[in-house]
Amino acid sequence: MKALISIDYTNDFIANDGALTTGLAGQSIENNLVKVTESFIALDHFVVFAIDAHDSNDLYHPENNLFPPHNIIGKQGQQLYGALGQLYSNHQSSSQIYWINKRHYSAFCGTDLDLRLRERAINEIHLTGVCTDICILHTAIDAYNLGYKIVIYQDAVASFDTIGHKWALNHFKQTLGAEILSVNNK
Ligand code: ZN
């Protein structure tokens, strides 16, 4: 059984005025991201939106020293961007759609994602979203350590760091044993 994990495609990470935007790199995967997400929804697969979520006055978070405030819970910046946001709002009442507020890079860190996958006998996860070399990478490493088969859509992940993006795609394949696919020729 497989599931799609959709990571951090929010206004703060994608919109031109986002607090920590990937800009054009992130915007350029919008159609591919919607296409692959729609295909999972159409086949009634489990689709998880694992979304960065911060409190506005969290004095203890290690990201405070690394990044400006972003993805504040309840703010516009934490909402899904563009057509993916529309797709989510059309299907969010489905039992096969699940939203996780995650506080760290990995979708597994401090969340019930592993339990939700295992109770559905899911052993293969497909990753999309941003950033390839941060949250996708950390999620993939945790998935590898937990024994999941990993699939990455190279044209539905993006980063503001071109070199990091390329490095991570190679790492997924060479070190985590991930299958690298393209949305447009699966
Ligand atoms: Zn964050």
Side-chain angles (χ1 to χ4, degrees), residues 8 13 20 52-54 61 63 67 70-71 102-105 135:
D8 286 353
F13 286 117
L20 203 51
D52 213 23
H54 296 289
H61 201 296
E63 282 182 30
F67 304 113
H70 60 278
N71 274 41
K102 65 178 181 64
R103 195 166 165 265
H104 279 238
Y105 304 138
C135 290

PDB file of all heavy atoms in Angstrom, residues 8 13 20 52-54 61 63 67 70-71 102-105 135, ligand 1:
ATOM      1  N   ASP A   8       4.847  21.020   2.926  1.00  0.00           N
ATOM      2  CA  ASP A   8       5.193  22.452   3.014  1.00  0.00           C
ATOM      3  C   ASP A   8       4.923  23.325   1.786  1.00  0.00           C
ATOM      4  O   ASP A   8       5.610  24.338   1.594  1.00  0.00           O
ATOM      5  CB  ASP A   8       6.679  22.614   3.405  1.00  0.00           C
ATOM      6  CG  ASP A   8       6.918  22.293   4.872  1.00  0.00           C
ATOM      7  OD1 ASP A   8       5.938  22.073   5.601  1.00  0.00           O
ATOM      8  OD2 ASP A   8       8.086  22.265   5.279  1.00  0.00           O
ATOM      9  N   PHE A  13       6.299  29.492   1.865  1.00  0.00           N
ATOM     10  CA  PHE A  13       7.403  28.844   1.152  1.00  0.00           C
ATOM     11  C   PHE A  13       7.328  29.020  -0.369  1.00  0.00           C
ATOM     12  O   PHE A  13       8.293  28.709  -1.069  1.00  0.00           O
ATOM     13  CB  PHE A  13       7.456  27.346   1.477  1.00  0.00           C
ATOM     14  CG  PHE A  13       7.970  27.032   2.856  1.00  0.00           C
ATOM     15  CD1 PHE A  13       7.164  26.414   3.796  1.00  0.00           C
ATOM     16  CD2 PHE A  13       9.270  27.367   3.225  1.00  0.00           C
ATOM     17  CE1 PHE A  13       7.636  26.127   5.069  1.00  0.00           C
ATOM     18  CE2 PHE A  13       9.749  27.083   4.492  1.00  0.00           C
ATOM     19  CZ  PHE A  13       8.935  26.457   5.424  1.00  0.00           C
ATOM     20  N   LEU A  20       9.614  32.860   3.680  1.00  0.00           N
ATOM     21  CA  LEU A  20      10.811  32.032   3.439  1.00  0.00           C
ATOM     22  C   LEU A  20      10.651  31.368   2.072  1.00  0.00           C
ATOM     23  O   LEU A  20      10.753  30.165   1.926  1.00  0.00           O
ATOM     24  CB  LEU A  20      10.882  30.965   4.557  1.00  0.00           C
ATOM     25  CG  LEU A  20      12.210  30.321   4.913  1.00  0.00           C
ATOM     26  CD1 LEU A  20      13.291  31.359   5.163  1.00  0.00           C
ATOM     27  CD2 LEU A  20      12.035  29.445   6.150  1.00  0.00           C
ATOM     28  N   ASP A  52       4.676  22.482   7.936  1.00  0.00           N
ATOM     29  CA  ASP A  52       5.409  23.221   8.952  1.00  0.00           C
ATOM     30  C   ASP A  52       4.433  24.117   9.729  1.00  0.00           C
ATOM     31  O   ASP A  52       3.581  24.776   9.129  1.00  0.00           O
ATOM     32  CB  ASP A  52       6.457  24.093   8.228  1.00  0.00           C
ATOM     33  CG  ASP A  52       7.722  24.283   9.035  1.00  0.00           C
ATOM     34  OD1 ASP A  52       8.013  23.448   9.908  1.00  0.00           O
ATOM     35  OD2 ASP A  52       8.422  25.281   8.776  1.00  0.00           O
ATOM     36  N   ALA A  53       4.592  24.117  11.059  1.00  0.00           N
ATOM     37  CA  ALA A  53       3.640  24.859  11.901  1.00  0.00           C
ATOM     38  C   ALA A  53       4.367  25.398  13.125  1.00  0.00           C
ATOM     39  O   ALA A  53       4.901  24.636  13.928  1.00  0.00           O
ATOM     40  CB  ALA A  53       2.513  23.929  12.330  1.00  0.00           C
ATOM     41  N   HIS A  54       4.398  26.719  13.224  1.00  0.00           N
ATOM     42  CA  HIS A  54       5.095  27.332  14.362  1.00  0.00           C
ATOM     43  C   HIS A  54       4.161  28.223  15.165  1.00  0.00           C
ATOM     44  O   HIS A  54       3.240  28.837  14.613  1.00  0.00           O
ATOM     45  CB  HIS A  54       6.279  28.168  13.858  1.00  0.00           C
ATOM     46  CG  HIS A  54       7.336  27.342  13.185  1.00  0.00           C
ATOM     47  ND1 HIS A  54       8.167  26.485  13.856  1.00  0.00           N
ATOM     48  CD2 HIS A  54       7.686  27.230  11.880  1.00  0.00           C
ATOM     49  CE1 HIS A  54       8.988  25.883  13.009  1.00  0.00           C
ATOM     50  NE2 HIS A  54       8.712  26.314  11.791  1.00  0.00           N
ATOM     51  N   HIS A  61      12.403  27.279  20.026  1.00  0.00           N
ATOM     52  CA  HIS A  61      12.588  26.500  18.802  1.00  0.00           C
ATOM     53  C   HIS A  61      13.961  26.768  18.182  1.00  0.00           C
ATOM     54  O   HIS A  61      14.342  27.924  18.012  1.00  0.00           O
ATOM     55  CB  HIS A  61      11.485  26.826  17.785  1.00  0.00           C
ATOM     56  CG  HIS A  61      11.312  25.741  16.772  1.00  0.00           C
ATOM     57  ND1 HIS A  61      12.295  25.402  15.874  1.00  0.00           N
ATOM     58  CD2 HIS A  61      10.279  24.892  16.543  1.00  0.00           C
ATOM     59  CE1 HIS A  61      11.869  24.393  15.126  1.00  0.00           C
ATOM     60  NE2 HIS A  61      10.646  24.057  15.519  1.00  0.00           N
ATOM     61  N   GLU A  63      14.881  26.667  15.192  1.00  0.00           N
ATOM     62  CA  GLU A  63      14.814  27.414  13.926  1.00  0.00           C
ATOM     63  C   GLU A  63      14.843  28.925  14.140  1.00  0.00           C
ATOM     64  O   GLU A  63      15.088  29.677  13.191  1.00  0.00           O
ATOM     65  CB  GLU A  63      13.551  27.037  13.132  1.00  0.00           C
ATOM     66  CG  GLU A  63      13.673  25.709  12.399  1.00  0.00           C
ATOM     67  CD  GLU A  63      12.429  25.373  11.583  1.00  0.00           C
ATOM     68  OE1 GLU A  63      11.734  26.289  11.109  1.00  0.00           O
ATOM     69  OE2 GLU A  63      12.150  24.177  11.441  1.00  0.00           O
ATOM     70  N   PHE A  67      16.107  30.970  10.751  1.00  0.00           N
ATOM     71  CA  PHE A  67      15.173  31.501   9.753  1.00  0.00           C
ATOM     72  C   PHE A  67      14.298  32.589  10.359  1.00  0.00           C
ATOM     73  O   PHE A  67      14.047  32.588  11.564  1.00  0.00           O
ATOM     74  CB  PHE A  67      14.247  30.374   9.236  1.00  0.00           C
ATOM     75  CG  PHE A  67      14.985  29.191   8.667  1.00  0.00           C
ATOM     76  CD1 PHE A  67      14.934  27.955   9.292  1.00  0.00           C
ATOM     77  CD2 PHE A  67      15.736  29.315   7.503  1.00  0.00           C
ATOM     78  CE1 PHE A  67      15.612  26.855   8.769  1.00  0.00           C
ATOM     79  CE2 PHE A  67      16.412  28.226   6.973  1.00  0.00           C
ATOM     80  CZ  PHE A  67      16.346  26.996   7.605  1.00  0.00           C
ATOM     81  N   HIS A  70       8.025  32.022  10.193  1.00  0.00           N
ATOM     82  CA  HIS A  70       7.308  31.510   9.011  1.00  0.00           C
ATOM     83  C   HIS A  70       6.308  30.459   9.447  1.00  0.00           C
ATOM     84  O   HIS A  70       6.437  29.866  10.520  1.00  0.00           O
ATOM     85  CB  HIS A  70       8.301  30.900   8.003  1.00  0.00           C
ATOM     86  CG  HIS A  70       9.083  29.750   8.575  1.00  0.00           C
ATOM     87  ND1 HIS A  70      10.199  29.950   9.354  1.00  0.00           N
ATOM     88  CD2 HIS A  70       8.885  28.415   8.525  1.00  0.00           C
ATOM     89  CE1 HIS A  70      10.665  28.771   9.742  1.00  0.00           C
ATOM     90  NE2 HIS A  70       9.885  27.820   9.268  1.00  0.00           N
ATOM     91  N   ASN A  71       5.312  30.218   8.585  1.00  0.00           N
ATOM     92  CA  ASN A  71       4.300  29.181   8.822  1.00  0.00           C
ATOM     93  C   ASN A  71       3.724  29.243  10.240  1.00  0.00           C
ATOM     94  O   ASN A  71       3.640  28.234  10.941  1.00  0.00           O
ATOM     95  CB  ASN A  71       4.874  27.780   8.531  1.00  0.00           C
ATOM     96  CG  ASN A  71       4.748  27.421   7.057  1.00  0.00           C
ATOM     97  OD1 ASN A  71       4.979  28.264   6.194  1.00  0.00           O
ATOM     98  ND2 ASN A  71       4.378  26.195   6.766  1.00  0.00           N
ATOM     99  N   LYS A 102       3.447  19.919  11.541  1.00  0.00           N
ATOM    100  CA  LYS A 102       4.741  19.414  12.023  1.00  0.00           C
ATOM    101  C   LYS A 102       5.600  20.593  12.483  1.00  0.00           C
ATOM    102  O   LYS A 102       5.562  21.655  11.882  1.00  0.00           O
ATOM    103  CB  LYS A 102       5.457  18.595  10.941  1.00  0.00           C
ATOM    104  CG  LYS A 102       5.880  19.403   9.707  1.00  0.00           C
ATOM    105  CD  LYS A 102       6.612  18.519   8.730  1.00  0.00           C
ATOM    106  CE  LYS A 102       7.079  19.281   7.508  1.00  0.00           C
ATOM    107  NZ  LYS A 102       8.080  20.328   7.771  1.00  0.00           N
ATOM    108  N   ARG A 103       6.353  20.377  13.558  1.00  0.00           N
ATOM    109  CA  ARG A 103       7.131  21.472  14.143  1.00  0.00           C
ATOM    110  C   ARG A 103       8.595  21.420  13.724  1.00  0.00           C
ATOM    111  O   ARG A 103       9.337  22.383  13.862  1.00  0.00           O
ATOM    112  CB  ARG A 103       6.978  21.393  15.664  1.00  0.00           C
ATOM    113  CG  ARG A 103       7.405  22.600  16.432  1.00  0.00           C
ATOM    114  CD  ARG A 103       6.906  22.539  17.871  1.00  0.00           C
ATOM    115  NE  ARG A 103       7.590  23.505  18.694  1.00  0.00           N
ATOM    116  CZ  ARG A 103       8.672  23.224  19.429  1.00  0.00           C
ATOM    117  NH1 ARG A 103       9.148  22.015  19.465  1.00  0.00           N
ATOM    118  NH2 ARG A 103       9.255  24.186  20.138  1.00  0.00           N
ATOM    119  N   HIS A 104       9.003  20.268  13.206  1.00  0.00           N
ATOM    120  CA  HIS A 104      10.396  20.125  12.757  1.00  0.00           C
ATOM    121  C   HIS A 104      10.415  19.768  11.273  1.00  0.00           C
ATOM    122  O   HIS A 104       9.371  19.611  10.649  1.00  0.00           O
ATOM    123  CB  HIS A 104      11.111  19.066  13.602  1.00  0.00           C
ATOM    124  CG  HIS A 104      11.588  19.602  14.916  1.00  0.00           C
ATOM    125  ND1 HIS A 104      12.903  19.570  15.313  1.00  0.00           N
ATOM    126  CD2 HIS A 104      10.915  20.212  15.917  1.00  0.00           C
ATOM    127  CE1 HIS A 104      13.028  20.132  16.510  1.00  0.00           C
ATOM    128  NE2 HIS A 104      11.841  20.530  16.905  1.00  0.00           N
ATOM    129  N   TYR A 105      11.608  19.644  10.702  1.00  0.00           N
ATOM    130  CA  TYR A 105      11.730  19.404   9.268  1.00  0.00           C
ATOM    131  C   TYR A 105      11.027  18.114   8.835  1.00  0.00           C
ATOM    132  O   TYR A 105      10.290  18.087   7.850  1.00  0.00           O
ATOM    133  CB  TYR A 105      13.205  19.312   8.853  1.00  0.00           C
ATOM    134  CG  TYR A 105      14.065  20.504   9.209  1.00  0.00           C
ATOM    135  CD1 TYR A 105      15.350  20.327   9.719  1.00  0.00           C
ATOM    136  CD2 TYR A 105      13.606  21.813   9.026  1.00  0.00           C
ATOM    137  CE1 TYR A 105      16.158  21.407  10.039  1.00  0.00           C
ATOM    138  CE2 TYR A 105      14.411  22.900   9.344  1.00  0.00           C
ATOM    139  CZ  TYR A 105      15.683  22.695   9.849  1.00  0.00           C
ATOM    140  OH  TYR A 105      16.477  23.764  10.169  1.00  0.00           O
ATOM    141  N   CYS A 135      13.145  19.730   4.270  1.00  0.00           N
ATOM    142  CA  CYS A 135      12.060  18.915   4.839  1.00  0.00           C
ATOM    143  C   CYS A 135      11.829  17.610   4.084  1.00  0.00           C
ATOM    144  O   CYS A 135      11.496  16.588   4.693  1.00  0.00           O
ATOM    145  CB  CYS A 135      10.780  19.740   4.943  1.00  0.00           C
ATOM    146  SG  CYS A 135      10.928  21.020   6.219  1.00  0.00           S
TER     147      CYS A 135
HETATM  148 ZN    ZN B   1       9.921  25.855  10.137  1.00  0.00          ZN
END
